[in-house]
Amino acid sequence: MKVVSIVGARPQLVKLAPIAAAFAERDCRHVIVHTGQHYDVDLSDVFFSGLGIPAPDVHLGIGSGSHGVQTGRTLAALDPVLDAERPDWVLVYGDTNSTLAGTLSAVKQHLPVAHLEAGLRSFNRRMPEEHNRVLTDHAADLLLAPTEEAMRHLAAEGLAARSTLVGDVMVDICLRIRDAVERGDHPRPELPEGIDPQAPYLVSTLHRAENTDDPARLTALVDALADLPVPVALLAHPRLLAKSEEYGLKLNRGALHVGRPLPYAGMVAAVLGSVGVVTDSGGLQKEAYLLGRPCTTLRTESEWIETLGDDWNRLVPDPHTLADWVATATRPAPEAPRGTPYGDGRAAHRVIETLLAHQA
Ligand code: UD1
């Protein structure tokens, strides 16, 4: 079996790591195509080196642009690559513009497409990720769902016959790296200046278009973080830096200590060393849950609703209007045990079994 994986943005590289490792154990040809949607070293290269992912076979170097430009350029660049490879499966990941472009290029060439992390929904049609997920699920031939909830969404959209529950590959990688960090196999994370790793601190990230692209909203979110009584390690995505500079918004103030995005193991270590997480990232909400730290999510909804049970994760769309914002963001970890809604850490192997079983 020959499979082409199409990736381009940071969260896809995290999901690629366990998949590439599982392919390496099998008699399969795995071709990695990097679209170049993310090009900063901190968002791309360190994930390949840090997670032991083989270098991409093809790099398209697409870079930034409006949604249409970025998706269109990727689509055009992928056509000849997929035509030359003619794989048994094109595997697309998550919900980025690279995911949608990969899916369109493949279906137009009658190449079977499998969507990893299928069936997630925010039901917020203003999110670019929601368009990408819905369109990808409806175009793909095989839907690899991470959770029962995702399976229910797919069934509700008439896609049950194409769907398989495989579990979440992010559990595979998160727990493996957690164990390595706890064994001391990784250097200490480079936390922002001013964060004492021995004292309580929060980990924060902010990058979603809904939060960064409106100056008033971004200002309110940054003010709320700066007002917290606990130091906040703000690991800044380039989009957050670009937008705050554009709006003349100072990030390094009050409780906030700004640093670069961390490599994956560094992020796991930073979360393990923290008293909690405040974020708008999907992946980080789940990592906080898997690592047992309370999470506060600066959004109106979450695709990972399982984290919301027992107060492990709380949605706070507007911190400045929330009377107990400080108490919420600094609340201790709940005592309730966490279940295993995201699977047993062997999802990547199940993905490969499912691809083999459904091969044309
Ligand atoms: C993308 C995904 C989002 C995912 C996120 C993870 C889409 C629609 N969104 O958002 O779902 O959660 O990746 O990080 O695909 N930039 C750089 N260097 C880079 C990459 C981006 O400076 O390496 C800056 C550019 O100013 C660019 C902006 O960030 O215009 C947005 O980048 P883009 O890849 O379009 O989306 P993300 O916000 O990273």
Side-chain angles (χ1 to χ4, degrees), residues 11 37-40 64 70 95-97 129 207 237-239:
Q37 175 171 349
H38 283 176
Y39 41 89
D40 280 6
S64 300
Q70 191 176 54
D95 55 18
T96 74
N97 292 338
E129 293 81 4
H207 77 280
H237 186 286
R239 181 193 200 104

Side-chain angles (χ1 to χ4, degrees), residues 10 189-192 195-197 199-206 225 228 230-236 255-257 259-281 283-285 287-288 291 293-298 325 329-330:
R10 177 171 58 177
E190 276 184 46
L191 294 174
I195 297 286
D196 174 359
Y201 66 88
L202 291 164
V203 169
S204 185
T205 71
L206 209 51
L225 289 169
L228 289 173
V230 180
V232 178
L234 178 63
L235 306 167
L256 282 173
H257 301 269
R260 285 163 55 177
L262 291 174
Y264 191 74
M267 190 55 139
V268 167
V271 171
L272 284 171
S274 77
V275 293
V277 170
V278 185
T279 189
D280 62 2
S281 152
L284 194 51
Q285 287 172 53
E287 279 144 11
L291 298 171
R293 295 296 176 276
C295 185
T296 303
T297 298
L298 301 172
W325 156 245
T330 59

